Amino acid sequence: VKNDSRCFKCTRTMLTLDGFKSLDKFKEVFDVDYYYANRFHFLKELYIRAKFKKDGFMQEIYPLFKDEFTLRFRIKIFFRIIRNRIGIK
């Protein structure tokens, strides 16, 4: 079975597998290259949904990546959100 690797269920599953360092075992099921190319975006969404939107699914995964959510990472998210809001690419 091949998944679309783009929907919420797929990205949440890939995040979970990544958190357990097992994602590479599922290359036949998910587009792992797409995930790694967009990993920062997925982690950004995880962080925002877990911390600010109180998304229960993302709050479950959050501890797997807690060490990656450094001050530098959070500042980078902040500036990307600002850039997107004012239309700078």
Side-chain angles (χ1 to χ4, degrees):
V1 174
K2 189 76 169 171
N3 293 291
D4 72 356
S5 302
R6 309 291 191 275
C7 72
F8 176 74
K9 289 188 319 183
C10 286
T11 55
R12 185 185 72 211
T13 302
M14 289 189 295
L15 277 164
T16 303
L17 292 169
D18 183 18
F20 286 117
K21 310 294 186 235
S22 299
L23 182 58
D24 290 330
K25 296 176 186 175
F26 293 87
K27 286 185 176 192
E28 299 298 318
V29 179
F30 293 108
D31 186 350
V32 175
D33 293 331
Y34 171 80
Y35 173 84
Y36 285 127
N38 295 284
R39 189 172 187 267
F40 178 82
H41 170 73
F42 294 132
L43 289 177
K44 176 186 80 164
E45 288 299 312
L46 166 62
Y47 181 80
I48 290 169
R49 286 176 172 224
K51 295 302 274 181
F52 300 108
K53 296 183 179 181
K54 305 301 182 194
D55 181 322
F57 290 120
M58 294 303 195
Q59 286 177 328
E60 289 178 0
I61 302 169
Y62 180 87
L64 301 174
F65 295 96
K66 195 172 183 177
D67 293 341
E68 293 194 48
F69 299 138
T70 62
L71 178 60
R72 183 176 184 203
F73 180 88
R74 293 180 301 206
I75 289 170
K76 198 172 180 180
I77 289 174
F78 175 76
F79 282 110
R80 287 217 179 161
I81 290 170
I82 300 265
R83 283 188 357 215
N84 288 342
R85 296 280 165 111
I86 60 176
I88 299 174
K89 295 235 173 183

